[in-house]
Amino acid sequence: MTSLSITPAVRATGTVVVVLRGSLRRVDTTVFAEAVGRLLRAHRPSRMEVDVSRLLELEPGTAEAVLAVLRTASREGTAIVVTHASSGVRQQLWAAGGERYLV
């Protein structure tokens, strides 16, 4: 298991990209929520992408907490999507009801 690393970037278009690396465990969801919140407040983006291409593990039961963060961001008016999900991560997010966020 590898600790979670969160790396933000802002594209020239204003889209905020959040790259997750390592393992995302339930205890990490607060850190993830805080990072997303800070980025939303600082940049007020119309679109945010959560790039999970380097996510090695999504601990079982964590998808629901991740989706709660995404739903909150969406209510603030930001279109938010999860990109580059492996089949395992995609399956967990889909099963938790997050199909609308997957691209």
Side-chain angles (χ1 to χ4, degrees), residues 56-71:
L56 303 174
E57 174 189 26
L58 182 61
E59 184 178 73
T62 305
E64 292 83 359
V66 169
L67 291 175
V69 173
L70 302 184
R71 287 184 188 108

Side-chain angles (χ1 to χ4, degrees), residues 4-86:
L4 179 66
S5 169
I6 301 172
T7 306
V10 180
R11 292 191 178 137
T13 60
T15 297
V16 172
V17 179
V18 180
V19 180
L20 303 180
R21 288 181 181 86
S23 299
L24 179 54
R25 297 166 297 162
R26 186 136 180 101
V27 298
D28 298 318
T29 57
T30 301
V31 173
F32 173 62
E34 290 169 353
V36 168
R38 277 192 306 276
L39 290 165
L40 290 174
R41 287 188 300 278
H43 300 284
R44 302 270 185 226
S46 59
R47 179 178 168 94
M48 179 181 278
E49 296 177 7
V50 179
D51 180 344
V52 295
S53 61
R54 297 186 178 170
L55 193 63
L56 303 174
E57 174 189 26
L58 182 61
E59 184 178 73
T62 305
E64 292 83 359
V66 169
L67 291 175
V69 173
L70 302 184
R71 287 184 188 108
T72 299
S74 293
R75 283 195 293 270
E76 298 297 319
T78 298
I80 189 160
V81 295
V82 176
T83 62
H84 307 105
S86 67

